[in-house]
Structures are given as structure tokens and as C-alpha cells.
Amino acid sequence: MDVKIKVSLEFSVSESGLEDALDEYDELTVEGLVAELLDKSIACDDIVVKVIDGPNNLEEYDEVKLSTG
């Protein structure tokens, strides 16, 4: 029997860590990266990932970095 699980997740990551992870998994967004990690780790189906707060890609990360100084 398949079950749905909904979680809230918050994490911090360094710029180089984010770049390396996106490159390694060949993903352009944090949403895609998290979905790929879940799929590869526990073979999930129908993964839906939505970034609610914070940058979803490296361009958004750069904007946040510039605005905070």
C-alpha cells in the first residue's frame, strides 16, 4: 500500500555546497535537487517539492547575497 507523507524541511547550505549538489545531480533548482535526492534515496513516486522561503536557484541565491551585503 502506498502512503502519502507531507513534511516541512528547513536547512542551511553554503554557496559551494549548493553549487556542487546542483551540478552533481544535474539540477537547476533546489526543488529539483530535493526531488532527485528523495527519488534516488528511497525510490519515491509523485514527488512534489515547493520552495516556500529562500532561493530556489543560484541566480536567486546571488540576489539574496547581494541584498544582504
Side-chain angles (χ1 to χ4, degrees):
M1 175 181 88
D2 291 347
V3 296
K4 288 188 177 189
I5 299 171
K6 187 174 185 177
V7 300
S8 176
L9 172 68
E10 181 176 325
F11 60 93
S12 297
V13 62
S14 68
E15 180 178 10
S16 63
L18 181 59
E19 288 175 344
D20 292 348
L22 291 171
D23 184 50
E24 180 178 339
Y25 285 92
D26 196 27
E27 292 293 335
L28 298 176
T29 64
V30 173
E31 293 171 345
L33 174 64
V34 172
E36 189 69 25
L37 287 168
L38 287 170
D39 183 44
K40 288 189 181 297
S41 297
I42 56 175
C44 293
D45 293 322
D46 302 318
I47 301 168
V48 177
V49 178
K50 180 70 179 152
V51 171
I52 297 170
D53 187 27
N56 190 32
N57 55 47
L58 292 176
E59 289 80 20
E60 292 176 8
Y61 176 87
D62 289 341
E63 289 174 12
V64 170
K65 188 169 65 171
L66 288 173
S67 68
T68 59

